[in-house]
Amino acid sequence: MALNDIPVILSHYKLLITEAPCVKMRELDGGQLVPVVDRNTNEEQFVVVLFAKARPTEGRRKSKGEEIKVNLPRDPGEGFEEGDYVELINPVINTYEMRGEDGKITASGLWFKADGLTPAARIVSAPAA
């Protein structure tokens, strides 16, 4: 059983674009790549790769971070380039599992999706006195 669209709060993470948003592609049986389109709107779907690293908090060990791919329902627009910090609009996670011909689970995991991207709010710290 897969769980779908579980809301996730990522405000405790810095999200850095490591691969700019691009059209999501899938490979057909013959090896040809084709854009993934939404079944209802026929809009091309996009994907962005982010490096998610926990914001430093007192008393906790520094996090190494993790690279995640995030599916987007449409082009997020101009101004999102590699090296930019962003926030996700309405991020959710979904689970999946793949089964072999014998019905046994051969792979499982989770994937991220969001309604869009927005530039991250800049956190300005006050100068030390």
Side-chain angles (χ1 to χ4, degrees):
M1 178 176 116
L3 296 173
N4 292 317
D5 295 341
I6 303 165
V8 60
I9 298 170
L10 296 171
S11 58
H12 291 92
Y13 289 84
K14 296 185 291 184
L15 304 173
L16 176 73
I17 296 176
T18 57
E19 291 181 30
C22 64
V23 174
K24 185 176 181 178
M25 304 295 279
R26 74 180 164 92
E27 189 174 342
L28 299 177
D29 287 339
Q32 179 186 5
L33 292 175
V34 296
V36 174
V37 295
D38 183 277
R39 293 177 199 165
N40 299 320
T41 66
N42 212 32
E43 281 187 272
E44 290 181 336
Q45 294 183 7
F46 278 65
V47 65
V48 63
V49 181
L50 305 173
F51 187 75
K53 185 170 182 173
R55 295 184 187 279
T57 55
E58 194 171 321
R60 283 187 54 195
R61 191 175 74 166
K62 280 188 177 182
S63 165
K64 296 233 185 266
E66 185 79 30
E67 193 169 71
I68 61 172
K69 283 186 179 182
V70 180
N71 292 337
L72 304 169
R74 67 192 59 79
D75 185 347
E78 297 293 318
F80 296 105
E81 303 295 331
E82 186 176 321
D84 291 345
Y85 283 95
V86 295
E87 294 176 5
L88 297 174
I89 300 169
N90 299 325
V92 296
I93 56 172
N94 292 276
T95 63
Y96 71 89
E97 60 185 32
M98 296 163 61
R99 296 180 180 266
E101 291 180 21
D102 59 1
K104 290 184 180 178
I105 297 172
T106 58
S108 64
L110 58 89
W111 55 279
F112 291 83
K113 76 176 181 178
D115 289 340
L117 301 174
T118 186
R122 289 188 161 246
I123 298 173
V124 180
S125 55

